[in-house]
Amino acid sequence: MRVVVPFAPERPKTRLAPVLDEAERAAFARAMLDDTLSALSTLDRERRVSVEPLVLSTAPLDCDAAVVVDDRPLTDAVNDRLPASDSDDPVAVVMADLSLATPDALERLFEPDADVVIAPGRGGGTNALVVRHPDFRVDYHGASVRDHREIVRDAELSLAEVDSFRLATDVDEPADLVEVLLHGTGGAAAWLREAGFSVVTADGRVDIERNSG
Amino acid sequence: MRVVVPFAPERPKTRLAPVLDEAERAAFARAMLDDTLSALSTLDRERRVSVEPLVLSTAPLDCDAAVVVDDRPLTDAVNDRLPASDSDDPVAVVMADLSLATPDALERLFEPDADVVIAPGRGGGTNALVVRHPDFRVDYHGASVRDHREIVRDAELSLAEVDSFRLATDVDEPADLVEVLLHGTGGAAAWLREAGFSVVTADGRVDIERNSG
C-alpha cells in the first residue's frame, strides 16, 4: 500500500520550544520521521504487508524514502494523493511524529477491510488513516477525528477505528517527551537520552528533566 | 477472572477542580466507575471471558458489584488482593476512571497468556494489568509502568503489553474531558454533555467549553 507521510522540515515542532532550541527541534523531528519510516520498512520486509512510503514534504529533503515536495496546506496536499476513482489503489496517511509507532501497531492499521480506517490521536487528531474509497477526503483542521467520522457517515462508507496508544501518541508538547522516553525504542528516544533528557518523578507526578552536564 | 477496580469515593478527581465543583466531581467519578463496571459486565455476559469485578473502595459504597472497603494506600490495598501462591487464580486490576474502556479493549487485556500483562497509561501510569504469578507486586508510585517492567524483569517473569488508547486514557485533568466527549459512549460522556460540556476548536486547538444555560 502507498503510505503518505506528511513532514514539514522547516521550523517543525514549535510547541517544543520551551525545552528544545530550533536546531534541536529540527533534529528531533527528523529522528521521529526516520523512526516512522523504519517501522514501515520493517513491516514491508518482515510481514506480508506491502508498504511503499512517500514522504510528502513542504520543502526538499534528503531521505531514504521517496519524497514529493508540496508546500500547500496539509489537507490539500494529502487530498491530492488519495484515491480519485474506484480503480485507484488504497492510500494510507501516517503522521511523521508517531515516534512510538511499531510494526505491530501499524499492521493493525492496515488490517481492517473498511472503506476508511482511522487511528485517532490524543486531543481529537487523526494520526493515521487508510482510505480505500474515492468519496472520502480529509479535513485536518480542528477536531479532525470527529469531522472524519462525519465525512464517512455522510458518504455512507464503512469505518473502522484502531485502538492504539502508540498511534494515538503524536509528539507535540514537552509532556509528550515522557511517552517517547518511556515507550520509544527507536532513534527519537535515543536522541532525547543523548541530549540529556530523562524521566523523573516528584510528588507522584512524572516529568522530564534535562541534564546539561 | 477476579477483576479488582480501585475506587476512592471521597474527594475524587481533585485535578478536575478548575472545571467541576466537588459534588460534580463525585458524580462524574461515579459515572466513570459505572462505565468501567458496565464494560466488564458486558464482557462477562457476551463473550467467553468470565469476569468477577470487585470494587476496592476507600469508603463504603452502594454499588451493583461486590465491594470491599480498604482505606490503605492503593499499592498496599491492591497487593493484598494479588495471587499469593502458585495455586491462586489470576487477578486483574482495572482503574475506575477508564471511561473509554470498551469490552473490546478489555478483552485484549485478558488475552495474552503472560505472567503479567500491562496496559500503560498516559504519563507513565499503569491503567490496567493482569497478574498470574505470585512473585509480582505492584508499586503505583511515580512512573509505575517503568517500575512494573523492572519488577517483572527482576523476577524473571513473562510480560505482555497491551497497546490501547482506550485503556491508556485515564481521566484526571480538564484536557482529558475532550477524550471522553470525543470517544466515550457511556454514562460519563452523557453526564458531561448533560452538564453542558462540548468540544470546541479555536486556532486549530481542541478544547472543552461549558454552556451553563
Side-chain angles (χ1 to χ4, degrees), chain A residues 124-195:
Chain A
T126 305
N127 283 0
L129 51 77
V130 173
V131 181
R132 295 195 173 83
H133 198 287
D135 287 354
F136 181 83
R137 285 297 175 265
V138 297
D139 179 356
Y140 282 111
H141 193 80
S144 67
V145 72
R146 190 174 56 175
D147 298 336
H148 289 151
R149 286 173 183 153
E150 208 171 294
I151 294 165
V152 166
R153 201 167 39 233
D154 289 350
E156 297 182 345
L157 304 178
S158 62
L159 173 69
E161 296 204 19
V162 178
D163 173 28
S164 165
F165 173 56
R166 292 185 169 275
L167 299 182
T169 307
D170 46 347
V171 179
D172 288 318
E173 300 183 358
D176 300 327
L177 301 185
V178 167
E179 311 303 340
V180 181
L181 287 167
L182 286 175
H183 305 290
T185 55
W191 189 94
L192 283 179
R193 284 191 197 98
E194 187 70 23

Side-chain angles (χ1 to χ4, degrees), chain A residues 18-87:
Chain A
V19 294
L20 295 175
D21 69 30
E22 187 168 336
E24 289 174 332
R25 296 199 298 278
F28 180 61
R30 180 56 197 256
M32 291 201 288
L33 170 67
D34 290 342
D35 282 349
T36 307
L37 294 173
S38 162
L40 287 168
S41 127
T42 301
L43 194 57
D44 183 76
R45 213 171 45 242
E46 298 180 5
R47 322 247 174 128
R48 273 185 251 178
V49 183
S50 158
V51 171
E52 297 166 67
L54 174 71
V55 178
L56 179 61
S57 180
T58 55
L61 184 74
D62 187 23
C63 178
D64 279 345
V67 176
V68 61
V69 176
D70 189 330
D71 63 1
R72 288 178 296 167
L74 179 63
T75 293
D76 298 333
V78 165
N79 277 332
D80 232 30
R81 269 84 199 174
L82 295 184
S85 78
D86 283 333
S87 59

Side-chain angles (χ1 to χ4, degrees), chain B residues 10 12 15-18 27 30 37 47 50 71 77 104 108 115 118 126 152 157 164 185 190 193 195 204:
Chain B
E10 293 164 315
R15 282 149 69 192
L16 290 175
R30 179 56 196 255
L37 294 174
R47 322 248 174 127
S50 159
D71 63 1
D104 279 343
R108 290 175 54 214
D115 293 327
I118 290 177
T126 305
V152 166
L157 305 178
S164 165
T185 54
R193 284 193 198 97

Side-chain angles (χ1 to χ4, degrees), chain A residues 15 102 104-105 108 120-125 141-146 149 161-170 173 175-176 178-179 182-183 198-201 203-206, chain B residues 15 102 104-105 108 120-125 141-146 149 161-170 173 175-176 178-179 182-183 198-201 203-206:
Chain A
R15 282 149 70 193
T102 53
D104 279 343
R108 289 176 53 213
R122 187 178 151 87
H141 193 80
S144 67
V145 72
R146 190 174 56 175
R149 286 173 183 153
E161 296 204 19
V162 178
D163 173 28
S164 165
F165 173 56
R166 292 185 169 275
L167 299 182
T169 307
D170 46 347
E173 300 183 358
D176 300 327
V178 167
E179 311 303 340
L182 286 175
H183 305 290
S198 60
V199 172
V200 291
T201 60
D203 301 330
R205 297 279 201 123
V206 175
Chain B
R15 282 149 69 192
T102 54
D104 279 343
R108 290 175 54 214
R122 187 178 152 86
H141 192 79
S144 66
V145 71
R146 191 174 55 175
R149 286 172 182 154
E161 296 203 19
V162 179
D163 174 29
S164 165
F165 173 57
R166 291 184 170 277
L167 299 183
T169 307
D170 45 347
E173 300 183 358
D176 301 327
V178 167
E179 311 303 340
L182 285 174
H183 305 289
S198 61
V199 172
V200 292
T201 61
D203 302 329
R205 298 279 199 121
V206 175

Side-chain angles (χ1 to χ4, degrees), chain B residues 43-102:
Chain B
L43 194 57
D44 183 76
R45 211 171 48 242
E46 297 181 6
R47 322 248 174 127
R48 272 184 252 175
V49 182
S50 159
V51 170
E52 298 165 66
L54 174 71
V55 179
L56 178 62
S57 181
T58 54
L61 184 73
D62 187 23
C63 179
D64 279 346
V67 176
V68 60
V69 175
D70 188 331
D71 63 1
R72 287 178 296 167
L74 179 62
T75 293
D76 297 332
V78 166
N79 277 333
D80 231 30
R81 269 84 197 173
L82 296 184
S85 77
D86 282 333
S87 59
D88 283 354
D89 288 334
V91 173
V93 184
V94 174
M95 293 301 155
D97 60 350
L98 304 187
S99 171
L100 304 190
T102 54

